[in-house]
Amino acid sequence: MQENVRKVLAQVRPTLQRDGGDVEFVGLDSDMVVKVRLTGACKGCPMSRITLKEGIEKFVKSELPAIRAVEAVE
């Protein structure tokens, strides 16, 4: 499943990179919660929470329905 998450995140990355940001896969816990780290322009951006929930999480869950959530870590 981790490899599938990495592949889905790879599809999201170009959009974030166009705006100077990026997302790194950190891990997947036993509750099917994906942990990511926002970097570049995304780190500390006031809109990063919206990007995470309405962009990244929504896309990951649409591609991998078993995923319950995507959360950012430092």
Side-chain angles (χ1 to χ4, degrees), residues 7-17 23 55-56 59-60:
K7 288 177 183 177
V8 171
L9 289 175
Q11 295 176 53
V12 174
R13 293 182 72 217
T15 302
L16 298 173
Q17 290 170 341
V23 62
I56 299 169
F59 184 69
V60 169

Side-chain angles (χ1 to χ4, degrees), residues 27-35 67-71:
L28 176 65
D29 69 20
S30 59
D31 293 326
M32 300 306 282
V33 176
V34 176
K35 305 292 185 176
I67 299 299
R68 290 189 336 105
V70 177
E71 297 177 355

Side-chain angles (χ1 to χ4, degrees), residues 20-52:
D22 208 344
V23 62
E24 296 175 357
F25 176 74
V26 175
L28 176 65
D29 69 20
S30 59
D31 293 326
M32 300 306 282
V33 176
V34 176
K35 305 292 185 176
V36 298
R37 181 175 296 113
L38 297 173
T39 63
C42 291
K43 184 177 181 179
C45 171
M47 300 298 288
S48 64
R49 175 120 176 100
I50 294 169
T51 298
L52 179 68

